Amino acid sequence: MSDERDPAPYDALLLLSFGGPEGPDDVVPFLENVTRGRGIPKERLKEVGQHYFLFGGVSPINDQNRALLDALRKDFADHGLELPVHWGNRNWAPYLTDTLREMVTAGHRRIAVLTTSAYASYSGCRQYRENLADALATLETEGLELPRVDKLRHYFNHPGFVRPMIDGVLASLADLPEEVRAGAHLAFTTHSIPTSAADASGPGSEHGEGGAYVRQHLDVARLIAAAVREETGIERPWQLVYQSRSGAPHIPWLEPDICDHLEELHDIGAPAAVMVPIGFVSDHMEVLYDLDTEATAKAAELGLPVRRSRTVGADPRFAAAVRELVLERAATEGEVPVARCALGALGPSHDLCPVGCCPARAPRPAAAGADSPYV
């Protein structure tokens, strides 16, 4: 990147995340927000909420977002980037609509948006854009002047996102017993989604088996595996696997599940494994429960030594990557040539989601895309 520090036309950054409960009394209301419109009984939500109750009813994602906010503000200040950073959630306080209202009231009119999802998919991209459109529609009914919101591009292959994960794998390998370390397999994990959603992920030209969702994860897995090989001198078997399935059993979802994969590794005599959660920005509940609790228990049952590598979280290199993404997008909006950082075979992602990108089952307005009703 150049030494340019001017974020214009942007006058603020919005960190847009999923949200999570902050105590036991929040769990069911939070899950009601997440599943609104699906008709799931409250008793069933209490069962699903047991994962949260195991951790005192508190999701770690909120504190992780606060840490990321601090890291972003520090990085921006250290590099002379005068850009306020705000935080809003889809499903819990601080709610997106409330945050946008506060930003508009404070005078912000051109807002860059960073979502805590690095890859293309309906739930990881377009649904956030739909939430932005819903929030803007609410502000419009209140008579407020609407800001323009621009979502920053997918950052799955940005060096500031990939390198911390490489270091996490190296640290996890070093933590394995020496006698099994050299033969350890790598299991790259991400959230399972319906195969139909995966096939339709990304722009229409990228639709097909697995769509952009699977291709992007595979590209990141290859990058990390290659870097680990280069730094350890060992070629390690690896596979992309999935976790956190939550859908009806008759609907096909991406497989194999991480626990099934661990059984397969045990059956073929693998001496150890490192679980690498490349699909998650931070160590939130699906990492702490599905990997650190459930998958780790399965590995112990099998007698298979495992470690789970850390996610990117509030790593300073990720904060620096966000700064670069903001300045990159600002330069692009000003029609100034700029280097676009990306590793791997896929190159930098698009700035503006095209029509037909990650379509929903039922069409809804979505902001920050070519089909946005808010320009």
Side-chain angles (χ1 to χ4, degrees):
M1 295 289 296
S2 72
D3 290 332
E4 180 62 48
R5 294 293 179 269
D6 185 5
Y10 299 108
D11 55 26
L13 174 69
L14 169 63
L15 174 65
L16 177 53
S17 192
F18 193 81
E22 301 265 29
D25 292 342
D26 296 342
V27 172
V28 171
F30 162 73
L31 292 173
E32 287 175 331
N33 288 341
V34 174
T35 61
R36 183 175 289 114
R38 301 183 201 174
I40 300 177
K42 183 171 289 190
E43 290 307 311
R44 173 58 182 153
L45 294 179
K46 290 179 181 178
E47 294 176 17
V48 173
Q50 291 306 312
H51 296 180
Y52 290 97
F53 293 128
L54 288 173
F55 294 86
V58 178
S59 170
I61 195 171
N62 296 318
D63 279 344
Q64 289 160 9
N65 280 326
R66 292 182 184 103
L68 179 55
L69 281 172
D70 289 343
L72 291 171
R73 288 166 178 158
K74 182 180 187 305
D75 179 89
F76 287 8
D78 288 348
H79 292 84
L81 185 64
E82 297 181 1
L83 196 71
V85 186
H86 299 257
W87 168 37
N89 289 323
R90 286 169 49 180
N91 299 298
W92 202 249
Y95 287 102
L96 169 59
T97 301
D98 296 335
T99 298
L100 270 183
R101 184 184 297 109
E102 292 170 3
M103 295 176 77
V104 168
T105 302
H108 298 305
R109 296 294 179 264
R110 191 72 184 270
I111 300 170
V113 180
L114 171 74
T115 63
T116 52
S117 175
Y119 301 85
S121 70
Y122 171 72
S123 57
C125 182
R126 185 178 176 88
Q127 193 169 14
Y128 282 102
R129 294 176 48 225
E130 291 175 353
N131 298 144
L132 283 166
D134 291 343
L136 291 170
T138 298
L139 299 188
E140 189 172 34
T141 65
E142 296 173 0
L144 295 175
E145 183 178 349
L146 297 187
R148 173 168 167 174
V149 295
D150 291 333
K151 179 180 175 293
L152 299 176
R153 67 175 170 93
H154 300 302
Y155 48 83
F156 63 92
N157 56 1
H158 194 287
F161 186 67
V162 175
R163 185 66 227 188
M165 292 191 289
I166 294 169
D167 290 346
V169 174
L170 294 171
S172 292
L173 287 168
D175 192 49
L176 281 168
E178 186 175 359
E179 62 271 19
V180 299
R181 188 179 304 152
H185 289 228
L186 305 179
F188 295 99
T189 75
T190 190
H191 205 301
S192 183
I193 61 175
T195 56
S196 59
D199 295 345
S201 59
S205 61
E206 299 180 28
H207 292 178
E209 187 175 358
Y213 186 75
V214 172
R215 278 194 290 278
Q216 290 171 1
H217 281 88
L218 284 173
D219 205 42
V220 172
R222 291 188 192 100
L223 283 167
I224 296 174
V228 171
R229 179 185 66 242
E230 181 176 343
E231 298 194 29
T232 65
I234 299 173
E235 179 80 42
R236 299 178 185 278
W238 63 268
Q239 186 170 340
L240 177 63
V241 300
Y242 302 93
Q243 61 173 90
S244 311
R245 173 180 173 145
S246 58
H250 67 280
I251 298 176
W253 283 51
L254 292 173
E255 296 177 337
D257 178 79
I258 177 61
C259 289
D260 294 337
H261 181 61
L262 293 176
E263 289 186 349
E264 293 170 2
L265 292 182
H266 172 261
D267 290 345
I268 65 173
V274 172
M275 301 180 290
V276 190
I278 60 173
F280 306 92
V281 172
S282 64
D283 289 1
H284 54 59
M285 185 58 69
E286 288 171 316
V287 175
L288 294 187
Y289 182 80
D290 295 342
L291 294 183
D292 292 358
T293 304
E294 191 172 54
T296 299
K298 169 58 71 173
E301 174 189 318
L302 297 167
L304 178 69
V306 295
R307 297 293 185 272
R308 193 267 294 173
S309 67
R310 61 180 179 266
T311 54
V312 173
D315 190 290
R317 290 167 292 184
F318 181 47
V322 175
R323 168 172 42 86
E324 291 185 359
L325 289 170
V326 170
L327 293 174
E328 171 200 295
R329 184 63 182 272
T332 300
E333 292 295 313
E335 299 184 354
V336 176
V338 64
R340 296 166 63 85
C341 293
L343 302 174
L346 299 181
S349 184
H350 50 263
D351 283 328
L352 196 66
C353 292
V355 176
C357 193
C358 302
R361 288 190 296 271
R364 287 177 55 194
D371 55 354
S372 172
Y374 301 101
V375 178

